């Protein structure tokens, strides 16, 4: 598993981990309030199939004199991509990370070859949910609050946004009560020509960790084909 490094432009302290493989490249952004470590097993599974996976977290909440917007956080992702020499990877994430991936594609349309959504957020503000499989002690509360503020200040980056010109792959859990499958199906109905949906039976909101193989397989199939 790739070790976490810190990229510190202007003191923003953006964590990332790059496995440096030579195959198709995928950027993964973690869910709201979560660090990048839990996506390591998924990165390893994809790495076994020669994918290069770069996990990028959100900046240190104390690094900015004013609260960042989603546009600022999307800029952080692109800054890390520039730092390590990524030109046009697939960009995706889990929950909030997928919303941020859409902001990357919307703000920097030449930089995302496609969007991967591991669960699709709804309209409710980012928050710890009693319906979630994620334990409360896994959250970085300061980052969670920063992300919630960023999302509230950027309503134009909505959970329904489909940036033009890029394919979208949705993977979601059939038993996910936090990001229910209906969210992904609604996106597909809005743009069936470029949104594909894979639903994992028996999986809830932590499926990138609890159902690693079932998450990796459709990514491998789709990105290899693409």
């Amino acid at each position: 598993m790739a070790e976490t490094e810190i990229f510190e432009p202007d003191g923003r302290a953006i964590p990332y981990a790059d496995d440096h493989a030579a195959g198709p490249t995928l950027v993964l952004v973690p869910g709201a309030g979560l660090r990048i470590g839990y996506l390591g097993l998924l990165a390893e599974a994809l790495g076994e199939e020669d994918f290069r996976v770069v996990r990028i977290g959100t900046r240190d909440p104390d690094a900015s004199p004013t609260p960042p917007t989603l546009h600022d956080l999307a800029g952080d992702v692109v800054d890390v991509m520039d730092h390590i020499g990524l030109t046009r990877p697939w960009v995706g994430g889990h929950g909030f990370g997928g919303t941020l991936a859409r902001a990357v594609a919307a703000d920097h349309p030449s930089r995302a070859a496609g969007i991967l959504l591991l669960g699709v957020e709804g309209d409710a503000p980012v928050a710890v949910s009693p319906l979630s499989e994620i334990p409360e002690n896994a959250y970085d509360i300061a980052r969670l609050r920063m992300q919630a503020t960023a999302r509230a200040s950027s309503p134009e980056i909505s959970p329904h946004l489909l940036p033009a010109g890029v394919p979208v792959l949705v993977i979601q859990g059939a038993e996910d009560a936090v990001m229910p499958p209906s969210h992904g199906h609604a996106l597909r109905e809005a743009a069936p020509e470029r949104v594909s949906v894979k639903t994992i039976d028996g999986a809830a909101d932590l499926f990138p960790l609890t159902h690693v193989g079932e998450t990796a397989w459709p990514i491998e199939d789709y990105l290899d084909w693409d």
Side-chain angles (χ1 to χ4, degrees), residues 87-160:
T87 303
R88 197 166 179 263
W90 269 69
V91 181
H94 178 211
F96 172 83
T99 300
L100 190 54
R102 285 190 266 184
V104 170
D107 290 354
H108 308 270
S110 67
R111 302 304 302 275
I115 300 169
L116 170 67
L117 302 177
L118 301 176
V120 178
E121 284 197 307
D123 292 317
V126 174
V128 177
S129 170
L131 302 175
S132 176
E133 285 190 330
I134 302 168
E136 288 194 29
N137 62 8
Y139 290 97
D140 179 331
I141 298 301
R143 276 191 169 84
L144 185 72
R145 290 172 179 159
M146 178 185 70
Q147 292 162 343
T149 299
R151 181 173 162 177
S153 69
S154 311
E156 64 281 2
I157 306 296
S158 78
H160 313 290

Side-chain angles (χ1 to χ4, degrees), residues 194-214:
R194 61 190 181 95
V195 178
S196 300
V197 176
K198 170 65 177 178
T199 303
I200 303 173
D201 290 340
D205 67 314
L206 195 53
F207 68 87
L209 179 60
T210 61
H211 292 67
V212 173
E214 295 94 327

Side-chain angles (χ1 to χ4, degrees), residues 163-190:
V166 293
V168 178
L169 173 61
V170 176
I171 303 175
Q172 56 191 4
E175 306 304 323
D176 190 343
V178 180
M179 298 175 290
S182 58
H183 294 174
H185 296 317
L187 284 184
R188 182 171 57 190
E189 290 173 6

